[in-house]
Amino acid sequence: MLSLLLRLSLIGAISYSFVFFSREFPKSFKQTRIAIALTVIIYSAILLFLTGFLTKREFSSFFSPEKMLTREMLLVILAQTVLYSYVLMIAVWQNGVGELLADFLSTFQTFQGLKKNLLAPFVEELVYRLSFHLLFDRESKLENFLFVFGSTLCFSLSHPLGRGPPAILGLYTSVVLLKTESIFGPVFLHSSCNILGGPPRIPTEFSDGRRRFLKGVLIASLVSVPMIIAFI
């Protein structure tokens, strides 16, 4: 196993190189959307295989389809559903179920929507979660903590326009990767967060009773989600 100092240095190199290749390098062919997507995907795959080679760690099990239908994944889906119950209730009460579904489907009808809601979550989880995870010893509590901290920090720093929410998402998905030993949970969480966005303010036109109810739902979800994750 590589020394801790070298592994921490690799984390910095991985983060910087990914930001460069995903944001700066594609500018030379910015009009070719397929080329941009292929560049990021190929680079991420090379990075993952290189990390696995350097650390002598096997990572194919993280992509096992069998882990998509497990108790752990069901708990991850439950946690995300509970977390976003507040957002969904506001959207339904404001615009109705039909418009909510139409907005959801519209997010996948453009390249920008596919990039934000599918490509970016998958690639970023490969880089900031799985590649980082391979650098640390799964059996060590200290190294698990360093993985979560390093992954969250680097992911947050790579999103300079909103470091608070990315830090929370990075912490959330890092812990889920540790718990499930699967890439599918973090990708699902990341993708759904990109699609639904952050929690909105309660509209002022809502009645006092509805506003109190939504505040209760928000508090209950923030309390219950960590408890659900703890059972994974």
Side-chain angles (χ1 to χ4, degrees), residues 56-122:
K56 310 298 183 185
R57 295 281 297 276
E58 184 276 330
F59 57 84
S60 61
S61 61
F62 287 86
F63 297 91
S64 172
E66 295 177 358
K67 292 187 177 181
M68 296 179 68
L69 298 174
T70 61
R71 168 186 170 276
E72 289 78 10
M73 270 302 298
L74 291 176
L75 286 173
V76 169
I77 294 171
L78 174 62
Q80 191 70 345
T81 303
V82 170
L83 182 62
Y84 271 92
S85 57
Y86 167 85
V87 176
L88 293 173
M89 285 180 183
I90 290 179
V92 169
W93 280 337
Q94 270 192 311
N95 305 310
V97 176
E99 187 166 336
L100 175 64
L101 291 175
D103 289 343
F104 172 76
L105 294 174
S106 69
T107 62
F108 300 99
Q109 294 176 357
T110 64
F111 174 78
Q112 194 62 32
L114 290 172
K115 177 183 174 184
K116 174 186 175 184
N117 300 319
L118 290 180
L119 177 61
F122 180 71

Side-chain angles (χ1 to χ4, degrees), residues 108-182:
F108 300 99
Q109 294 176 357
T110 64
F111 174 78
Q112 194 62 32
L114 290 172
K115 177 183 174 184
K116 174 186 175 184
N117 300 319
L118 290 180
L119 177 61
F122 180 71
V123 168
E124 289 183 343
E125 292 308 313
L126 287 185
V127 174
Y128 291 108
R129 243 61 71 190
L130 185 51
S131 292
F132 282 21
H133 187 42
L134 294 177
L135 294 171
F136 294 96
D137 183 1
R138 304 175 196 176
E139 305 303 321
S140 168
K141 291 184 179 180
L142 173 61
E143 297 212 9
N144 283 338
F145 169 79
L146 290 174
F147 155 66
V148 172
F149 177 78
S151 174
T152 301
L153 178 63
C154 292
F155 181 70
S156 176
L157 292 176
S158 71
H159 295 73
L161 298 180
R163 289 178 180 165
I168 296 171
L169 177 60
L171 175 63
Y172 191 14
T173 52
S174 297
V175 172
V176 167
L177 182 68
L178 276 178
K179 291 276 191 175
T180 63
E181 292 289 320
S182 169

